[in-house]
Amino acid sequence: MDEDAKKTALRMIPYGIYVLTAEKGDAVGAATVNWVTQTAFTPPLVAVGVKTDSATYATIKDAGHFALNMLGKGQQGIAFGFFKPAEKDGETIGGESYRSGTTGAPILENAPASVECKVLEIVEQGDHQVVVGELVEAHAATAPEGRPDQAILTKWELGDNVFYGG
Amino acid sequence: MDEDAKKTALRMIPYGIYVLTAEKGDAVGAATVNWVTQTAFTPPLVAVGVKTDSATYATIKDAGHFALNMLGKGQQGIAFGFFKPAEKDGETIGGESYRSGTTGAPILENAPASVECKVLEIVEQGDHQVVVGELVEAHAATAPEGRPDQAILTKWELGDNVFYGG
């Protein structure tokens, strides 16, 4: 395989930035991710690539649910905050206020929108697993002005040399 | 579930535009899709949401491989061309010149980059199925100027009211 072509082709896929969360008992997981896509309308499904050896993955697998918290323009600070393992401290995770959603997954108060999903299936094939979830709840504080897909924080807004995925 | 919140949240996910192709024997499938994400580095995996009742899905399932042809800025015409079922005519599919890749999947000559994948797993859960593929070949005619993720044709460039996914 042509490694340069592979890098170019895969880097053409554009990504938004999300904080993926799950909680069960004392275990909490929260991590910045970008490998996300919707995959069906009926039922409404999303697929997320989640780092195999992460606390977030372990918590999602155990809890059977997760939340995807969409980040908005200017929320780079939140994105960078969840690059490292998140700690729960009272009503905050990684320093961010949250509430428990319908599923129990943490909903970040500062996220402009979030979806909660139950885990339908996990494809365990690589350094990141494909978690397929069905939407069971959605939250949106305020409808963004203009197109929603232009209101999300994007990977290129994290820095000129940031191409990290997962 | 709050339907407005669901719509807002899901529409925040940004998408590039791709022509998904597969070929086996006399059967050929080619369709414009946008539900795409990478899901792992090792092995390099992508997940694609593919319409269940489409010729493209049937061909991918039968062939065991597919190609994702990335479209570039200004290639809206190609995107719209593959909204309808594609027909093969000599050296063209849907009017676009192509060659057969290593896997046999059609590589569009006008696509700035393409990846070929073997099907690793399919999650059959909805009106679109999640096809997880492992990259086995990649093609890139020319490295784009600037960031590759800003060189791809995006959904918002297909029209102000285009939110169709799948």
Side-chain angles (χ1 to χ4, degrees), chain B residues 37-62:
Chain B
T37 184
Q38 186 172 351
T39 63
F41 289 118
T42 309
L45 303 181
V46 295
V48 186
V50 187
K51 198 158 184 265
T52 306
D53 62 359
S54 66
T56 304
Y57 179 64
T59 308
I60 288 173
K61 202 170 169 178
D62 191 34

Side-chain angles (χ1 to χ4, degrees), chain A residues 113-128:
Chain A
S114 306
V115 294
E116 292 182 68
C117 300
K118 65 175 181 188
V119 175
L120 267 195
E121 199 155 328
I122 297 177
V123 180
E124 298 193 315
Q125 293 277 8
D127 56 10
H128 291 64

Side-chain angles (χ1 to χ4, degrees), chain B residues 67-96:
Chain B
L68 265 179
N69 297 274
M70 282 69 178
L71 295 186
K73 297 299 184 196
Q75 294 190 311
Q76 283 89 339
I78 301 178
F80 289 123
F82 288 98
F83 274 10
K84 55 181 184 294
E87 290 188 15
K88 191 174 159 181
D89 181 12
E91 299 298 299
T92 66
I93 298 179
E96 285 293 315

Side-chain angles (χ1 to χ4, degrees), chain A residues 14-152:
Chain A
Y15 295 104
I17 304 294
Y18 313 81
V19 178
L20 177 68
T21 59
E23 185 168 9
K24 187 175 182 188
D26 290 336
V28 65
T32 299
V33 301
N34 64 72
W35 283 344
V36 170
T37 184
Q38 186 172 353
T39 63
F41 289 117
T42 309
L45 303 181
V46 295
V48 186
V50 188
K51 197 157 184 268
T52 306
D53 63 359
S54 66
T56 304
Y57 178 65
T59 308
I60 288 173
K61 202 169 170 180
D62 191 35
H65 65 240
F66 62 88
L68 264 180
N69 297 274
M70 282 70 179
L71 295 186
K73 296 299 183 197
Q75 295 191 312
Q76 283 90 339
I78 302 178
F80 288 123
F82 289 98
F83 274 9
K84 55 181 184 295
E87 290 188 16
K88 191 173 159 182
D89 181 10
E91 299 297 301
T92 66
I93 298 179
E96 286 293 315
S97 300
Y98 78 101
R99 64 184 189 278
S100 292
T102 312
T103 59
I107 307 300
L108 300 189
E109 298 286 2
N110 285 323
S114 306
V115 294
E116 292 182 68
C117 300
K118 65 175 181 188
V119 175
L120 267 195
E121 199 155 328
I122 297 177
V123 180
E124 298 193 315
Q125 293 277 8
D127 56 10
H128 291 64
Q129 316 294 34
V130 188
V131 178
V132 179
E134 178 179 344
L135 266 69
V136 292
E137 191 54 270
H139 312 269
T142 48
E145 291 179 34
R147 288 183 65 108
D149 53 358
Q150 293 189 308
I152 197 165

Side-chain angles (χ1 to χ4, degrees), chain B residues 86-133:
Chain B
E87 290 188 15
K88 191 174 159 181
D89 181 12
E91 299 298 299
T92 66
I93 298 179
E96 285 293 315
S97 300
Y98 78 100
R99 64 184 190 278
S100 292
T102 311
T103 60
I107 306 300
L108 300 189
E109 298 286 2
N110 285 324
S114 307
V115 294
E116 293 183 67
C117 300
K118 65 175 181 189
V119 175
L120 266 196
E121 196 154 330
I122 297 178
V123 180
E124 299 193 315
Q125 294 277 10
D127 55 9
H128 291 64
Q129 316 292 35
V130 187
V131 178
V132 179

